[in-house]
Amino acid sequence: MKIILDAMGGDNAPDANIKGAVNAINKIKAELILIGKEEIIRAKIKEFYNKELEDISDRLKIRNSTEIIEMEDQPTVAIKHKKDSSMVVGFNMLKQDEGDVFISAGNSGALLAGATLIIGRIKGIDRPALAGILPAYKSQLLLMDCGSNTNCKPINLLQFAQMSTIYLKNTFGIEKPAIGLLNIGTEETKGNELVKESYQLLKEKSEELGINFVGNTEGRDAFSGKIDAIVTDGFTGNVFLKTTEGLGKLVKRSLKESMMKNIISKIASIPALPAINRFAKTMDYKAYGGALFLGVKKPVVKAHGSSDETLFEYTIIQAEKFVENKAVDKMIEAFNK
């Protein structure tokens, strides 16, 4: 197996990308290929580890590329004109079977454009979407779409629900995943036109498509453990995702400051440390890695734009599991039926 990593994509590139790759290489079985400016990657490895690339692992490789797709670039224009960018080179390697999965923390719009234009959509799917995984009570929550399609139609949300069902069933072993529609209320009449029309379409088509649609879900109920996935447009989903991450950071920071406030609170917190550490681990979204682009013919994973080395490490480990579980192959098979 070969994992392809865009070493130049993301807010903290290439440092976080390279460090994450080195951290992950001995925790995976696959070969890991870093795409980017070779002289920069080699210089960074020498700076960080005082070693040559070859001395770290014989499964860590470099594929040189001379261009970078920046966050402010127009997605389709960048994919078409920056042919030697780390992202486009990665997509072409994936298409030509020179790798089994491609990871990037770069421009989300360009990643969606490249996945659609170069890799191609699965037949029967109008729009691929980002399937992000978040922690929930004694379980996990699939957020679909978490940022790739800012404007959607009801048919898109129906397909998001269908893809979520197939993905959760085949990859996570959930026989009848509960799918909710993210809304401002649980009543059938609540929401904007997109949500109201999507509700009716889901209600009408769910049985035929094998979707366990449980109705509208408010944001406060999403993490109850009773919902396996929530579907929404990419604009709302991305706001939901980043708000959730921000709240998690607030809780962690506030808890730490409260424990360290004075000598009494420090001493009092010692017996509770194992429980606090378990709680922190459960709430850490980094452990869930990146988001798989569901709906394209080969595995493409979007890492958070602000990924640090830890998140890159987890995303690489997760990407290997996506390939091993044949998540995309099973999606194609299901839609072919």
Side-chain angles (χ1 to χ4, degrees):
M1 186 194 302
K2 293 181 180 179
I3 298 171
I4 308 165
L5 176 65
D6 177 0
M8 313 308 286
D11 299 339
N12 301 312
D15 294 19
N17 313 43
I18 294 167
K19 288 178 179 178
V22 172
N23 291 347
I25 195 64
N26 290 323
K27 298 174 184 177
I28 59 173
K29 301 172 186 175
E31 183 177 304
L32 183 55
I33 305 168
L34 301 173
I35 308 175
K37 296 181 179 180
E38 185 168 358
E39 69 276 14
I40 292 177
I41 296 172
R42 288 189 177 277
K44 288 287 183 181
I45 288 175
K46 187 74 172 176
E47 176 190 339
F48 298 148
Y49 306 103
N50 197 29
K51 291 181 180 180
E52 298 297 331
L53 175 82
E54 293 75 13
D55 297 328
I56 292 175
S57 173
D58 60 0
R59 289 181 292 109
L60 196 59
K61 310 287 185 181
I62 298 176
R63 172 68 68 91
N64 186 54
S65 67
T66 59
E67 296 177 294
I68 301 170
I69 292 180
E70 307 289 353
M71 292 297 191
E72 62 272 15
D73 284 346
Q74 289 294 320
T76 305
V77 174
I79 290 294
K80 289 182 177 179
H81 294 283
K82 290 189 172 182
K83 300 288 187 184
D84 200 41
S85 64
S86 52
M87 190 180 289
V88 174
V89 170
F91 276 128
N92 283 322
M93 288 177 67
L94 187 64
K95 183 180 180 179
Q96 294 159 13
D97 295 324
E98 293 179 48
D100 299 284
V101 56
F102 175 52
I103 305 168
S104 178
N107 185 313
S108 295
L111 199 69
L112 176 63
T116 305
L117 295 172
I118 299 174
I119 305 301
R121 291 178 285 114
I122 294 171
K123 186 177 180 180
I125 296 174
D126 292 341
R127 290 192 185 183
L130 280 171
I133 299 175
L134 294 168
Y137 182 66
K138 294 185 177 180
S139 63
Q140 65 217 354
L141 174 73
L142 183 70
L143 174 61
M144 181 82 166
D145 176 16
C146 65
S148 53
N149 299 284
T150 53
N151 295 300
C152 290
K153 297 177 181 178
I155 184 64
N156 303 135
L157 268 62
L158 175 67
Q159 290 182 354
F160 294 170
Q162 190 178 6
M163 286 191 282
S164 297
T165 298
I166 295 165
Y167 179 51
L168 289 170
K169 183 177 179 180
N170 289 325
T171 304
F172 294 92
I174 304 171
E175 190 58 35
K176 286 186 68 177
I179 312 294
L181 178 64
L182 186 61
N183 203 349
I184 58 172
T186 57
E187 299 89 347
E188 189 173 332
T189 55
K190 285 284 183 75
N192 57 23
E193 289 306 308
L194 170 64
V195 175
K196 286 190 283 189
E197 289 177 23
S198 298
Y199 184 100
Q200 294 304 321
L201 190 59
L202 279 159
K203 187 178 176 182
E204 177 187 338
K205 295 287 187 180
S206 285
E207 186 175 350
E208 176 188 339
L209 297 175
I211 300 168
N212 179 23
F213 177 53
V214 296
N216 289 325
T217 300
E218 294 183 78
R220 63 186 175 189
D221 297 322
F223 303 101
S224 65
K226 298 176 182 178
I227 304 293
D228 296 302
I230 52 173
V231 295
T232 185
D233 63 274
F235 178 86
T236 307
N238 195 257
V239 171
F240 180 90
L241 173 69
K242 289 177 178 174
T243 302
T244 301
E245 290 172 356
L247 180 60
K249 289 177 181 178
L250 171 64
V251 170
K252 186 177 179 180
R253 184 177 178 182
S254 299
L255 184 62
K256 185 176 180 180
E257 287 182 357
S258 180
M259 290 166 56
M260 297 293 108
K261 191 172 183 180
N262 53 52
I263 188 65
I264 296 174
S265 61
K266 287 179 182 178
I267 295 170
S269 67
I270 292 173
L273 281 177
I276 291 169
N277 289 332
R278 286 196 300 272
F279 170 76
K281 188 175 181 180
T282 301
M283 294 299 293
D284 188 7
Y285 70 90
K286 291 182 181 180
Y288 294 87
L292 185 64
F293 255 129
L294 293 183
V296 292
K297 293 178 180 178
K298 294 194 174 183
V300 176
V301 178
K302 173 69 172 74
H304 291 259
S306 58
S307 291
D308 58 14
E309 60 183 276
T310 302
L311 194 40
F312 271 112
E313 176 188 345
Y314 283 130
T315 301
I316 292 163
I317 294 168
Q318 179 200 52
E320 184 175 59
K321 292 177 183 176
F322 284 146
V323 178
E324 289 174 344
N325 292 335
K326 298 184 177 179
V328 174
D329 293 338
K330 290 172 182 175
M331 185 72 65
I332 294 170
E333 183 183 345
F335 269 85
N336 281 341
K337 290 179 182 178

